[in-house]
Amino acid sequence: MPFYQRGVLYLTRKRAKSILLLMIFLFVNSMILGTNMILHAAQSTEAAMKEKTKAKVVCEMIDAGQPVTEVDARKIGNLDAVTSINRMGQQAAYLPELLLVTGNTSTEADNQKVSLLSFDDMETDSPFADQSFRLTEGRLIGPDSQYCAVVNQGFAQANGLKVGDTFSLENEEGKKTTVEIIGEYLAGNETRQEKETPALYRQENQIYIDNTAYLELFGEKGFYKLSAYVSQPELLDSLAGEMQEIVGEKAGVTTSDTLYQQMKAPLTQITRVVSLMRLLAFGTGTAVVSLLLCMWMRSRQKEMAVFLSMGEGKSVVFWQALLESAVVFLIALLGACALGAAAAGWMQKLLLATVDTGTSLTVTLQAGDIAQLLGIGGAVVGIGVLLSLIPVLRSNPKDILSRMEG
C-alpha cells in the first residue's frame, strides 16, 4: 500500500487525534495569519503615509542679491528623488487700474505698491497650509493654475472685485500682466494694523499669484525659497546634499520630515509588537506541535518498526508522517483564512481604538498574507514532524525490531 494511502487511512481511523491536531493548527494558523494581516496593513499604511506627509528639503536664499534662479529650480525638479517642487517668490508691484488699501498719505514708493507672493501650490507651503489665514471664497492656487490671484477680502471690497474678475499688475520696468481672481482670504489681523502703515506692508495689499504670472513679471529676480518634496523620507539627507551642490553658497538647505516621524511612531510601535507576537506564535506553535507529534510517534513505534522490517525506507516513514500533518494543516489553513476574513474589521477597530496613527489603517485578508501563512505554517509542520521522528530516523533496524519484540 502506498504511503500516502496509509496516511489518509490513519487520519480517518484516529479521528480524535486528528481533530486535536486540527484544533492546534487552527489556533496557531489564526495567530500567524492575524499578525501577518496587521503587519501588511501597517506596511501599506506607511507607504501611503510617506506621500501624504510631504517630507521635503527646503532651500532658502541667504543673500537677497543671490536668489534661487529658475535654472536652479529646474535642476532640482529633475533630481530622481524629487516628486514635486514649490517655488516661492516675493516682489513689489504696481496696480495701474486699482486702489490701494491704506490710511497713509505719503507719496513714497512703499505707499504706492502691493506685495506679491508667488507659489506653485498654496495647499502645501503658505499661511493657508498651517491655517494662519482663512480662505473665505473661491479656491487656492494649485500646480495647474496660470495667471491666477488670491486677494484679501478687504482689498476686493475696496475695489468692487469678486471671484472671476481680472486686474493688471505692473513691475518697475512698466511690464504688465493680467491675472484672474480665484479666491479671497482673511488673515485676521486686518483691523489691528496701524493707520500709518505704508500700503506695501498692509495685509490687505498682500496678493498671492501663481508662478506663471510671477515669472512673466520678475523672471530674472528668481525665488527666495524653494521646497522639494519626496515620496521616500529616508532619501532626504542625500537629496539635501545634491541640492546644496546645485545652489552653492547662495542658499541654505534644511530637511523637514517632522510630520512623518510623528505619524510613523505609532505604526512602528504596532509593527514591533505584532512582529514579536508572530515570533512567539511561531515558536509556541512549533513547540506544541512537536511535543504532540512526539507523543503520537512514540505510540506508533511498533507500527513503524513493522514498516521498516518489511523493507520500507526511513524516508517513506518521514513522508507519510509529513503528509498526515500537512493534510491537517491545510484544512486548518482554510479555517484560519475564514476566521481572518471575518475578524479583519474587528482587528482594525481594536488597533485604531488603542493607537492613533494619524492616518487610515486598513486590515484585510490578502493573497500575500495567505502565502506568508503557508510558508511559516509549513515550517512549523516540517520542524514538528522532523523533531518527532528523530528517535526513529536515528535508530538502526536492529533496535527498532527489538522494541517491536518488547
Side-chain angles (χ1 to χ4, degrees):
M1 182 183 294
F3 75 90
Y4 51 83
Q5 189 174 354
R6 289 200 306 265
V8 174
L9 289 175
Y10 181 83
L11 291 176
T12 56
R13 187 174 76 248
K14 301 291 185 178
R15 291 187 183 87
K17 290 183 177 181
S18 300
I19 292 174
L20 178 60
L21 184 61
L22 176 65
M23 297 303 294
I24 292 175
F25 272 138
L26 181 61
F27 175 75
V28 174
N29 286 351
S30 298
M31 288 291 294
I32 295 174
L33 182 62
T35 55
N36 284 341
M37 289 169 62
I38 295 172
L39 283 174
H40 186 270
Q43 291 166 357
S44 299
T45 301
E46 184 174 358
M49 187 179 66
K50 289 179 179 180
E51 290 277 359
K52 294 180 180 179
T53 53
K54 295 291 184 181
K56 62 185 177 181
V57 179
V58 180
C59 177
E60 192 164 5
M61 72 175 184
I62 298 173
D63 183 355
Q66 293 183 302
V68 179
T69 66
E70 177 63 6
V71 174
D72 296 332
R74 287 199 190 112
K75 290 181 180 179
I76 292 172
N78 290 330
L79 294 175
D80 293 337
V82 176
T83 56
S84 64
I85 61 172
N86 198 359
R87 299 162 296 173
M88 288 159 268
Q90 183 172 13
Q91 297 293 333
Y94 295 101
L95 294 176
E97 304 165 356
L98 301 177
L99 298 174
L100 300 175
V101 178
T102 179
N104 193 317
T105 58
S106 172
T107 58
E108 293 182 358
D110 285 352
N111 204 41
Q112 308 297 320
K113 300 176 183 179
V114 294
S115 177
L116 295 183
L117 294 100
S118 72
F119 290 86
D120 287 309
D121 186 0
M122 293 178 67
E123 294 280 0
T124 53
D125 282 294
S126 73
F128 299 91
D130 57 17
Q131 299 182 343
S132 299
F133 290 5
R134 177 170 59 90
L135 189 70
T136 59
E137 189 176 352
R139 59 184 173 87
L140 296 174
I141 292 170
D144 299 325
S145 299
Q146 290 189 344
Y147 299 100
C148 297
V150 177
V151 301
N152 187 274
Q153 190 177 77
F155 174 83
Q157 291 174 352
N159 287 279
L161 299 173
K162 61 182 183 300
V163 173
D165 291 344
T166 61
F167 64 95
S168 296
L169 296 167
E170 183 180 337
N171 64 14
E172 293 280 357
E173 291 75 30
K175 187 175 182 178
K176 296 181 181 180
T177 190
T178 300
V179 294
E180 177 187 353
I181 298 175
I182 62 170
E184 297 179 11
Y185 74 92
L186 284 175
N189 65 342
E190 287 85 353
T191 58
R192 295 195 296 271
Q193 299 175 102
E194 295 182 5
K195 183 178 179 180
E196 295 301 316
T197 302
L200 180 63
Y201 306 112
R202 288 191 67 89
Q203 186 63 58
E204 293 91 341
N205 299 320
Q206 191 172 96
I207 299 174
Y208 295 88
I209 61 173
D210 64 275
N211 278 315
T212 303
Y214 177 83
L215 287 172
E216 188 169 306
L217 289 173
F218 309 104
E220 74 287 352
K221 295 187 177 180
F223 306 95
Y224 77 94
K225 188 176 180 181
L226 181 146
S227 294
Y229 293 93
V230 299
S231 59
Q232 297 175 289
E234 59 270 17
L235 299 178
L236 283 179
D237 291 337
S238 61
L239 176 60
E242 293 178 300
M243 288 176 59
Q244 191 69 71
E245 290 181 4
I246 292 174
V247 298
E249 297 181 357
K250 65 183 178 182
V253 175
T254 57
T255 60
S256 176
D257 65 341
T258 304
L259 181 58
Y260 170 72
Q261 295 298 336
Q262 290 175 345
M263 295 175 68
K264 181 184 176 183
L267 277 179
T268 302
Q269 180 183 357
I270 290 175
T271 301
R272 289 176 179 173
V273 171
V274 176
S275 296
L276 178 60
M277 290 176 59
R278 184 172 66 175
L279 181 62
L280 292 174
F282 173 77
T284 303
T286 301
V288 172
V289 170
S290 299
L291 288 173
L292 184 61
L293 291 177
C294 283
M295 294 172 58
W296 289 1
M297 295 305 170
R298 185 178 180 84
S299 67
R300 297 177 64 184
Q301 284 188 357
K302 286 187 178 181
E303 174 189 342
M304 294 178 182
V306 170
F307 293 148
L308 291 172
S309 64
M310 293 173 62
E312 293 279 12
K314 292 181 179 180
S315 61
V316 175
V317 173
F318 171 79
W319 286 116
Q320 179 182 337
L322 183 62
L323 173 67
E324 294 169 0
S325 298
V327 170
V328 178
F329 165 74
L330 291 175
I331 297 173
L333 183 145
L334 295 176
C337 289
L339 291 175
W346 173 80
M347 286 190 289
Q348 181 173 323
K349 289 180 181 178
L350 180 64
L351 287 172
L352 295 180
T354 55
V355 180
D356 180 15
T357 64
T359 186
S360 60
L361 183 67
T362 304
V363 181
T364 57
L365 178 62
Q366 300 185 15
D369 301 320
I370 300 175
Q372 285 186 335
L373 173 60
L374 193 60
I376 298 174
V380 172
V381 173
I383 294 172
V385 171
L386 185 62
L387 291 176
S388 66
L389 286 176
I390 285 178
V392 175
L393 298 177
R394 295 183 61 184
S395 300
N396 57 50
K398 182 178 178 180
D399 293 334
I400 296 174
L401 289 175
S402 65
R403 294 195 194 99
M404 181 186 67
E405 292 173 356

